[in-house]
Structures are given as C-alpha cells and as structure tokens.
C-alpha cells in the first residue's frame, strides 16, 4: 500500500519526470555537442593539414626548381666546343661545382647515348639509364629516382638537355643533389603535427617514399593497392583531404598536395584519435559535470529546466550560426558559472585554440620558421607593392641578393644546429641594418634578400652603401658553442623602377650575385 501510494505520489512522479527529462536533456546535449565538435574539428584539422601539405609541397618544389633551373642555366652556358675536349670540360664542370653547392654529389656531361664526355670516372656513379636521362635526351629537364648513397644519405639525380645552335639535343647534363646534406629531410621533421602526425613525400612514378618524418620509411616502397584507399586515390591523381586507414591500421586525417616539378605529392597526416582528442575530453567533461548536477537539483529540475537550458540553446544557436557563416567566430557569452557556463568556456577555449592555429598557419605560410623572416611568398608580395609604388612616384627600388660564403664549411664542421644558430644571428644583424619600411627575407638555405625603397640619396649609391654594411656586419665573428667562426657573403644588386616583374628583378639580382662570387669572398656586383 505504501509502495503504491509512493508510486502515485505527485512528488515521485515529478521526480521521475524530472529525472527522465534530465537524462534525456543530458543525452541530447552529449550527442549534439559530440557530433558538432567531431565534424567541426575534422574539417578544421583537414584544413590545417591541407595548408601544411601545400606549404611543404611548395618548399620541396622550390628546392627542386632551384636545382633544375641551375642545371638549365649551366647547360645553356656550356661552350659547345668543350663537348669534344674532355679535360677542359672536366675543369669547366669542376669550376661550376665549386661556385655552387647545389649538386655536391657530382656533375657529369654525357652524349645522348649515355657516354661520358669529360673522359673521367666520377667518384659518384651517376645513372644514365634513369628517367631523368631519358627525359633530358628528349629535351626536357627532369628529376630521377631517389636512392641511398654509401654514406646513407638520400641522393636525387636530375638532368637537363644541352642543345646546339639549331636547338637539337646533343648532350645531357646530369647532377646529383644530396637531400640529407641540404637539410630538406631535416625540414620535414619540423613539419610534424602533434605527437604522432607527420609528413610524407611520395613519388608515384617510382612508387617509393622519397622522404618521411619517420626516417625509417624514407626510400622504401609504397604499400600495394588496396591497403590504404586514400593512398590509392592519391597515386591515381587525387589531391585534397580525407579520412583513411593507413597500412598499420591507424585511422588518419590526411591531406595531399602536388609537387609540380617532379610529379611527386606531399601527404600531411594526423591520427584521428589525436585530432579529435578534444571531443573525448568534452565527452568526459559532460558526463562528469552533468551527473552530480542532475542528482543535486533533481527535486526542482522540472521547474528550472527551461531556465537552465536557455543559455545552452542560445549558445548552440550561436555556434550553429557560426558554422553556417552567419556570425563571426567570436567567444560565446558565459551567462552563468555552472555546467553550461563551463561548457561554454571550454568551447571558447577550443575556439581560441582554433583561431590561434589558423593565425599560426597564416604566419607559417608567409615567414621562415627558422629565422622568423618573411619567406619568398611574402617577399614577392612586398616586392610587387614596392614596384607599383616606385612606378607611381617615379622612384627606384633596390634588391640585394645575399648568398653566404663558407656556410657549408660551418655546417660540416659544427653541425646543422650550429648552422641554424648562425642563420638566426645573421638574420638579426641584417634586420638591424634596415629601416622598418625595408624587408629582409630568407628565401632558402643560406640565401637572403634585402628589399629597400624610398631612398634619401641616389638609389645606386644607397644600394652600394647598404651592400657594404651587410658585408661588414656578416663578417663579424659568429660566436658558436665552443668557438667562433667568420663567414662572408656575396651580394648581387638589382635596381628597379616599376616596369619589371618581381621575378625578373630577383633573377637579375641572382645573376649579379653569381658575378660577385666570381670576384671572391665578400664581394658585391650590380646589374
């Protein structure tokens, strides 16, 4: 009788109804927020991975383009008569190798049948039957199949055609770059995202991993078809992002971007478990915070449920409108310091983290990660603006192309860590020389560019003065960990009046720099 009376009690019914409503409300919030966060985080991580893949792909492509362009210029500059003079040809190649460290593993000239024309056997045997040789024989510059050297470095052969006056291919210039010594593989280590994320550089033609954040995967075969569906699509030409399961059975969010100069592609990947870790923490937060609250307010939950849920509904509506683009991504208002307020604060922290990541990616796309200086992309934008400004005001701009002398010896002697420290110090010295309206950029390796405008004296005199200041500043001893070292710099100077393109002006300064290098260490030249 007492049990029946209790069951029919309005208080019990209200308590049961309130409990049911609380359970249903908690479950609905849990499911909705989980779905929202999973979808939003998946999209955000995919966007971040795509930006990272594109950035690394551009970096790799610039690396390849620099060396292929050098080979083309060298092939175009080779005197035709040397093809019949082995000793003079060998000396000519040795001289160019000494001027540029782009192909430390060797430069070789062969005829179109693969026969060496310099008459010597190189210490590094360059393959003349590879795809790069075949393409160069057909008149196109090309990248070959990466391979491992005896010193466990990653070697990359490249080739460019040598033409006669009639435009016919009469010989092939082959060079082998050292991916390990150039620091390209070390750069991939800096591209790691999270604890288990990483970068892959893949050659679909050769079906190998050219490079990887996981060094054990470098120069190993790619998985066979059917193991990783997204990888199979990428090998067939797909570029974009998606979720897949890799050869180890780990579910990942991956993004793929092309490297045009080689036909390779870059994959930026991050395990789903790590990417969506905030969802798990949010789920735990909801379960831990809501259960005690439901028990504490069970008696009155029916009366105050609408009041409790109003801020959550408002926050969900605002968040939903943010995802649709109707509202800007701004923190949600924290109405009360309860579970809903905690949830809103957690969402705001997550939103702030996402915005910070977007900001960091934007900076990463425009600045050099080692020195903090503008990179080539930002330099091109500022140079374009400066040329427009110069054309409008009938003024000139100066571009100083700096290439460090002796930097490779510093790296070989003291290691890459000391080299990175030296680059940071040199960047600091260069920043101290220029005005806030000028730009100092690092465009790769040990190469820097200074962009100066709005001169108070003749542009040519001002540029020469700035070049001498740069040479003096860089010539100061670099204080390394246990010793000091002095390096120099060769500077090429080009002046523009606004009618040039940024690429033309940089190319002119680059040529002037090579002329300066011929003048010896610590020289400058203007074109």
């Amino acid at each position: 009788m007492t049990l029946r009376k209790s069951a029919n009690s309005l208080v019990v019914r209200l308590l049961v109804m309130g409990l049911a409503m609380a359970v249903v409300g908690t479950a609905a919030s849990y499911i909705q927020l989980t779905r929202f966060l999973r979808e939003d985080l998946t999209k955000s991580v995919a966007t971040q991975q795509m930006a990272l893949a594109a950035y690394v792909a551009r970096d790799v492509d610039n690396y390849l383009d620099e060396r292929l362009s050098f080979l083309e210029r060298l092939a175009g500059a080779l005197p035709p008569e040397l093809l019949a003079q082995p000793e003079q040809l060998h000396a000519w190649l040795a001289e160019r190798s000494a001027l540029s460290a782009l192909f430390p593993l060797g430069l070789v000239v062969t005829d179109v049948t693969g026969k060496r024309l310099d008459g010597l056997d190189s210490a590094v045997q360059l393959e003349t039957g590879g795809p790069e040789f075949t393409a160069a024989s057909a008149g196109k510059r090309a990248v070959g199949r990466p391979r491992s050297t005896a010193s466990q470095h990653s070697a990359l052969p490249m080739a460019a055609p040598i033409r006669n006056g009639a435009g016919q291919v009469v010989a092939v210039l082959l060079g082998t770059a050292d991916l390990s010594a150039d620091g390209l593989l070390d750069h991939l280590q800096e591209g790691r995202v999270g604890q288990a994320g990483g970068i892959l550089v893949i050659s679909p033609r050769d079906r190998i991993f050219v490079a990887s954040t996981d060094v054990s995967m470098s120069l190993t075969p790619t998985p066979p078809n059917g193991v990783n569906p997204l990888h199979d699509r990428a090998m067939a030409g797909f570029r974009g992002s998606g979720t897949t399961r890799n050869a180890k059975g780990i579910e990942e969010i991956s993004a793929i971007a092309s490297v045009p100069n080689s036909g390779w592609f870059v994959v930026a990947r991050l395990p789903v478990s790590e990417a969506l870790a905030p969802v798990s923490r949010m789920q735990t937060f909801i379960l831990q915070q809501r259960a005690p609250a439901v028990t504490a307010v069970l008696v009155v939950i029916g009366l105050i449920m609408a009041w409790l849920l109003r801020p959550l509904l408002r926050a969900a509506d605002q968040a939903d409108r943010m995802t649709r683009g109707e509202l800007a991504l701004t923190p949600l208002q924290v109405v009360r310091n309860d579970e809903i307020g905690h949830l809103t604060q957690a969402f705001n922290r997550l939103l702030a983290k996402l915005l910070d990541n977007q900001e960091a990616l934007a900076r990463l796309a425009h600045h050099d990660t080692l020195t903090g200086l503008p990179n080539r992309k930002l330099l091109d934008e500022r140079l374009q603006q400066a040329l427009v400004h110069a054309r409008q005001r009938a003024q000139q701009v100066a571009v100083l192309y700096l290439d460090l002398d002796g930097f490779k010896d510093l790296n070989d002697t003291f290691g890459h860590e000391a080299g990175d420290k030296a680059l940071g110090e040199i960047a600091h010295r260069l920043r101290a020389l220029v005005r806030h309206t000028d730009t100092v950029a690092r465009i790769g390796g040990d190469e820097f560019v200074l962009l100066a405008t709005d001169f108070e004296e003749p542009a040519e005199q001002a540029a020469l003065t700035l070049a001498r200041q740069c040479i003096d500043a860089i010539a100061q001893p670099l204080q390394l960990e246990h010793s000091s070292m002095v390096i120099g710099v060769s500077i090429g100077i080009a002046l523009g009046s606004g009618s040039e393109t940024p690429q033309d002006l940089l190319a002119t300064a680059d040529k002037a720099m090579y002329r300066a290098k011929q003048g010896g260490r610590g020289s400058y030249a203007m074109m």
Side-chain angles (χ1 to χ4, degrees), residues 95 98-100 399-405 464 467-468 471 488-494 507-527:
E95 180 182 357
L99 290 176
S100 174
V399 173
L400 280 69
Y401 201 114
L402 288 72
D403 187 90
L404 301 182
D405 300 323
L464 294 176
R468 287 190 289 268
I471 292 173
V489 63
S490 297
I491 303 177
I493 306 170
T508 302
D510 186 24
K511 292 178 181 178
M513 182 272 293
Y514 279 106
R515 178 182 294 179
K517 277 192 173 292
Q518 295 174 358
R521 184 170 178 168
S523 300
Y524 60 84
M526 176 178 290
M527 291 185 67

Side-chain angles (χ1 to χ4, degrees), residues 199-465:
I199 300 292
L200 296 172
V201 181
I202 298 173
S203 173
R205 180 195 65 195
D206 305 314
R207 302 191 70 85
I208 62 170
F209 295 106
V210 178
S212 171
T213 305
D214 180 4
V215 294
S216 65
M217 294 178 63
S218 297
L219 301 182
T220 61
T222 58
N225 291 338
V227 174
N228 185 332
L230 189 60
H231 172 78
D232 295 345
R233 293 175 62 196
M235 295 290 280
F238 170 77
R239 299 296 180 263
S241 61
T243 302
T244 187
R245 194 171 295 277
N246 66 18
K248 297 180 181 179
I250 300 173
E251 190 177 14
E252 296 177 334
I253 298 175
S254 298
I256 303 110
S258 293
V259 181
N261 272 300
S262 60
W264 301 345
F265 60 86
V266 171
V267 180
R269 56 183 186 160
L270 184 66
V272 171
S273 59
E274 186 172 344
L276 301 185
V279 176
S280 299
R281 293 195 293 270
M282 181 64 72
Q283 292 171 334
T284 302
F285 175 83
I286 293 175
L287 293 176
Q288 291 179 346
Q289 296 298 321
R290 276 297 187 86
V294 168
T295 302
V297 300
L298 186 57
V299 177
V300 293
I301 196 171
L303 299 175
I304 63 173
M305 183 166 299
W307 179 77
L308 283 175
L309 293 180
R310 189 179 299 116
L312 179 61
L313 295 175
R314 185 184 299 115
D317 177 66
Q318 292 178 352
D320 188 56
R321 292 175 65 187
M322 289 179 193
T323 61
R324 295 197 302 266
E326 298 175 4
L327 293 176
L329 293 176
T330 55
L332 301 175
Q333 181 181 4
V334 181
V335 179
R336 296 190 301 268
N337 188 26
D338 56 10
E339 290 76 16
I340 297 176
H342 296 164
L343 182 61
T344 305
Q345 291 172 353
F347 179 85
N348 289 342
R349 289 194 295 271
L350 178 60
L351 181 61
K353 185 175 180 180
L354 290 175
L355 292 174
D356 289 341
N357 288 342
Q358 290 176 346
E359 208 170 44
L361 285 173
R363 177 170 179 79
L364 186 64
H366 290 86
H367 289 79
D368 174 51
T369 55
L370 176 63
T371 62
L373 294 176
N375 60 13
R376 180 180 287 273
K377 180 178 180 181
L378 184 54
L379 173 65
D380 287 343
E381 293 175 2
R382 292 186 178 177
L383 183 51
Q384 183 65 52
Q385 294 170 0
L387 289 171
V388 172
H389 183 78
R391 184 168 59 251
Q392 292 173 346
R393 298 195 176 187
Q395 296 177 343
Q396 287 187 303
V397 299
V399 173
L400 280 69
Y401 201 114
L402 288 72
D403 187 90
L404 301 182
D405 300 323
F407 183 74
K408 183 178 184 301
D409 294 337
L410 186 151
N411 260 342
D412 293 343
T413 304
F414 299 99
H416 290 294
E417 185 175 348
D420 291 346
K421 182 178 179 182
L423 289 175
E425 173 60 24
I426 290 171
H428 175 73
R429 295 179 184 179
L430 293 177
R431 273 195 297 254
L433 290 177
V434 301
R435 303 160 299 175
H436 71 279
T437 56
D438 299 333
T439 296
V440 181
R442 180 180 178 228
I443 60 173
D446 58 351
E447 295 180 335
F448 297 83
V449 170
L450 270 66
L451 168 62
T453 61
D454 298 329
F455 302 107
E456 296 179 356
E457 55 184 318
E460 181 176 346
Q461 183 61 39
L464 294 176
T465 300

Side-chain angles (χ1 to χ4, degrees), residues 79-147:
E81 62 272 16
L82 294 186
L83 296 178
Q85 302 175 19
E87 294 183 1
Q88 289 84 347
L89 177 59
H90 179 76
W92 191 88
L93 291 175
E95 180 182 357
R96 269 64 189 173
S97 296
L99 290 176
S100 174
L102 295 181
F103 294 97
L105 299 184
L107 287 170
V108 165
V109 175
T110 74
D111 62 16
V112 293
T113 67
K115 180 182 178 182
R116 291 279 297 270
L117 297 180
D118 55 8
L120 298 175
D121 291 327
S122 173
V124 178
Q125 295 298 321
L126 298 176
E127 298 178 357
T128 58
E132 74 282 4
F133 179 83
T134 303
S137 299
K140 298 180 180 179
R141 69 180 193 179
V143 174
R145 177 185 176 91
R147 63 180 185 271

